[in-house]
């Protein structure tokens, strides 16, 4: 249901979170490496055939010039989520700006630097808009996040800051 594509194998550690998030919700995915600059024909083919392969969303991780998500978005009607990869001369700012500054009519939804997990969560939310079972799982996940924060707050109230921080060491 979700296509995950990275421009380089060096992006795999940061995109692992996307896989983990999709696995939480039982969402099938495919994972590819294809560079917008080194394999441009393959990237275009991937985008153009995505719907026929049953994909609903594409998550694309790329660093530096980070053209991969934009090229994909230009060649598919599906939503594309960009995951900018940190590193390089500008620490990932170049990738982030490349993804958020897409031209009118060719959007790329962009998550945080190295935000592969959130890319997976956003993909699940998009799929959940049309799949009630996925929407229910995402809702339960978010409720669990809230319970975790509430438990931490209660622990802080009970222990105070010194006890809370000292207990974690």
């Amino acid at each position: 249901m979700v296509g995950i594509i990275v421009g380089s194998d060096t992006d795999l550690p940061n995109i692992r979170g996307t896989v983990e998030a999709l696995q939480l919700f039982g969402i099938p995915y495919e994972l590819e490496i294809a560079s917008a600059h080194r394999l441009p024909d393959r990237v275009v083919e991937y985008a153009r055939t995505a719907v026929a392969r049953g994909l609903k969303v594409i998550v694309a991780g790329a660093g530096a010039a980070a053209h991969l998500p934009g090229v994909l978005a230009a060649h598919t009607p599906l939503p594309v989520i960009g995951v900018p990869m940190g590193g390089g001369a500008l620490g990932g700012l170049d990738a982030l700006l490349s993804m958020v500054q897409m031209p009118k009519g060719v959007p790329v939804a962009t998550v945080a630097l190295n935000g592969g997990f959130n890319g997976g969560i956003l993909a699940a939310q998009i799929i959940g808009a049309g799949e009630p079972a996925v929407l229910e799982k995402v809702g339960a996940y978010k409720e669990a996040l809230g319970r975790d924060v509430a438990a931490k707050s209660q622990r802080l109230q009970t222990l105070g800051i010194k006890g809370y921080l000292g207990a974690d060491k």
Side-chain angles (χ1 to χ4, degrees), residues 5-7 34-41 43-44 62 66-72:
I5 186 167
V6 293
S35 168
H37 301 111
R38 296 182 184 111
L39 283 174
D41 293 339
V43 170
V44 170
H67 292 140
L68 180 61
V71 171
L72 291 162

Side-chain angles (χ1 to χ4, degrees), residues 34-131:
S35 168
H37 301 111
R38 296 182 184 111
L39 283 174
D41 293 339
R42 174 68 188 116
V43 170
V44 170
E45 175 191 352
Y46 185 89
R48 287 187 175 161
T49 62
V51 173
R53 288 194 320 279
L55 298 184
K56 305 292 185 206
V57 182
I58 298 173
V59 179
H67 292 140
L68 180 61
V71 171
L72 291 162
H75 293 283
T76 186
L78 296 176
V80 175
I81 301 167
V83 180
M85 299 295 163
L90 299 178
L93 182 60
D94 45 357
L96 175 64
L97 293 176
S98 177
M99 290 182 197
V100 298
Q101 292 293 49
M102 291 299 298
K104 183 178 181 179
V106 189
V108 170
T110 306
V111 296
L113 285 172
N114 302 324
F117 190 82
N118 270 358
I121 296 293
L122 183 54
Q125 290 176 298
I126 291 168
I127 289 170
E131 300 277 340

